[in-house]
Amino acid sequence: AKRDGKATFHFFEQSLDEQARRRREMELDLRLAIKDGGFELHFQPLYSLTHERLQGFEALIRWNHPTRGTISPAEFIPLAEETGLILQVGEWVVREACHIASGWPEDISVAVNISPKQFTYPGLSTTILQALTNSGLPPQRLELEITESVFIADVEHTLSTLHSLRNLGVRISLDDFGTGYSSLSYLRQFPFDKIKIDQSFVRDLAQQGNNAHAVIRAITTLADALSMETLAEGVEDEQQCRILREEGCGSIQGYLLSRPVRAHVVQEMLAPRDRR
Ligand code: C2E
Ligand code: CA
Ligand code: CA
Ligand code: CA
């Protein structure tokens, strides 16, 4: 038994070592990707149910790794946050998104995810202003998506950052709404332009008798009262779409409409509109 214990211990130690090695390797690769342009933005349509029209696209980053292929943000954004590299990655995302969106029709906006660390970085509004100026994208066509985790740090500071971003003329959305534990208090404190209802609530709509409809209704009623728009994420089928419409949700995003696509596919999606 003692021998087994020892063997297990060694195995455990080795795997921690292996983890640390992989992590360092990933960090180096991430630095290279920042230097060599190893990232790409994909775009997913945001569709207004209220106006029956395409409103814009959310920019979602992909890492084209030289040997491991495409790596999803869920895998590398946390590492980028821990290492502080998110500031450089995030700056690239804002610039690239503004640049690409400046070539779209003037009623089509772009939404960009801003991570918590990026949000607390004092240079954020300068970065955004520069990206807008360089691309010529009007500020009202840029939406910044933040999660309520930014409120954990320092509420005063968060509110002043939100107000200075708002003063640039950009729109601000509260992402993943309902997944934190006290979302309501944040809504009282800052007038978000839009609430993005987390996909977990949309998934629940498939099951009977779990009050999922009532939850959606409560969120859209609250948003209405606060003059905020609502968008439901992760909409995959017609039934979910129908219920969301009935419960007063303004917009949807999800595989029902389209998966995230490359910029040239966005051009194809937009082209028929131009010809009209
Ligand atoms: P998110 O901001 O909540 O983005 C929505 C995620 O849901 C995306 O995953 C999208 O591809 C996925 N999705 C969209 N429609 C559906 C659907 O109908 N069903 C399902 N199951 N999933 C759907 P993705 O692209 O892997 O991104 C994951 C997360 O990574 C994002 O969640 C966001 O938090 C983060 N992220 C992505 N791009 C960036 C970025 O440029 N900067 C930062 N800071 N974070 C990013
Ligand atoms: Ca988002
Ligand atoms: Ca989200
Ligand atoms: Ca999410």
Side-chain angles (χ1 to χ4, degrees):
K2 205 176 174 194
R3 214 181 257 167
D4 284 354
K6 204 174 175 197
T8 311
F9 177 70
H10 273 295
F11 175 73
F12 182 58
E13 206 169 49
Q14 227 172 30
S15 89
L16 273 186
D17 219 52
E18 171 68 14
Q19 270 177 26
R21 195 185 59 76
R22 278 188 64 122
R23 196 179 172 285
R24 274 197 305 276
E25 206 178 271
M26 235 352 212
E27 184 181 336
L28 285 176
D29 287 353
L30 206 51
R31 288 183 190 279
L32 280 177
I34 291 168
K35 198 159 67 67
D36 301 342
F39 303 109
E40 185 182 2
L41 290 182
H42 285 200
F43 297 90
Q44 189 177 34
L46 312 176
Y47 184 82
S48 166
L49 296 174
T50 317
H51 303 104
E52 303 281 357
R53 73 168 195 93
L54 183 65
Q55 277 178 316
F57 293 84
E58 178 176 359
L60 295 157
I61 194 170
R62 302 291 180 259
W63 178 7
N64 298 318
H65 190 278
T67 54
R68 285 196 237 167
T70 307
I71 304 182
S72 91
E75 266 186 77
F76 71 88
I77 292 289
L79 180 66
E81 277 267 304
E82 283 168 42
T83 54
L85 292 170
I86 191 67
L87 295 182
Q88 290 161 72
V89 175
E91 182 168 339
W92 177 82
V93 171
V94 172
R95 287 174 180 280
E96 179 77 356
C98 290
H99 171 69
I100 291 176
S102 69
W104 298 344
E106 60 188 18
D107 57 349
I108 302 293
S109 62
V110 68
V112 170
N113 292 285
I114 302 294
S115 81
K117 182 166 263 151
Q118 195 183 357
F119 184 83
T120 52
Y121 169 61
L124 178 65
S125 54
T126 307
T127 300
I128 288 170
L129 184 58
Q130 279 174 355
L132 290 168
T133 309
N134 292 343
S135 63
L137 186 75
Q140 63 276 13
R141 283 175 56 197
L142 177 63
E143 288 177 26
L144 305 179
E145 298 193 358
I146 63 158
T147 58
E148 61 192 352
S149 59
V150 301
F151 284 94
I152 292 168
D154 172 356
V155 177
E156 287 299 304
H157 184 256
T158 297
L159 291 174
S160 93
T161 305
L162 284 172
H163 284 290
S164 65
L165 291 172
R166 167 66 60 67
N167 286 340
L168 293 177
V170 302
R171 294 162 51 83
I172 300 176
S173 304
L174 186 56
D175 203 357
D176 300 346
F177 181 78
T179 55
Y181 72 100
S182 57
S183 312
L184 294 184
S185 69
Y186 308 126
L187 290 186
R188 256 193 322 119
Q189 296 181 68
F190 186 78
F192 291 95
D193 296 287
K194 187 189 286 178
I195 294 172
K196 296 191 78 173
I197 304 170
D198 191 68
Q199 48 190 59
S200 55
F201 295 101
V202 175
R203 216 170 295 132
D204 286 350
L205 289 175
Q207 298 141 30
Q208 293 290 313
N210 60 2
N211 295 325
H213 293 225
V215 171
I216 299 286
R217 168 62 69 179
I219 298 174
T220 61
T221 304
L222 179 69
D224 270 355
L226 297 170
S227 303
M228 299 178 193
E229 293 172 24
T230 47
L231 176 145
E233 303 186 284
V235 180
E236 296 184 352
D237 61 50
E238 292 287 356
Q239 191 199 0
Q240 291 167 339
C241 179
R242 181 180 49 74
I243 297 167
L244 287 162
R245 195 192 290 272
E246 282 167 10
E247 302 302 344
C249 184
S251 306
I252 57 166
Q253 172 180 7
Y255 298 164
L256 173 65
L257 297 165
S258 167
R259 296 201 168 237
V261 295
R262 294 200 154 89
H264 73 89
V265 181
V266 171
Q267 288 298 347
E268 287 162 21
M269 287 175 163
L270 294 170
R273 291 167 24 104
D274 287 346
R275 272 190 239 118
R276 268 209 303 258

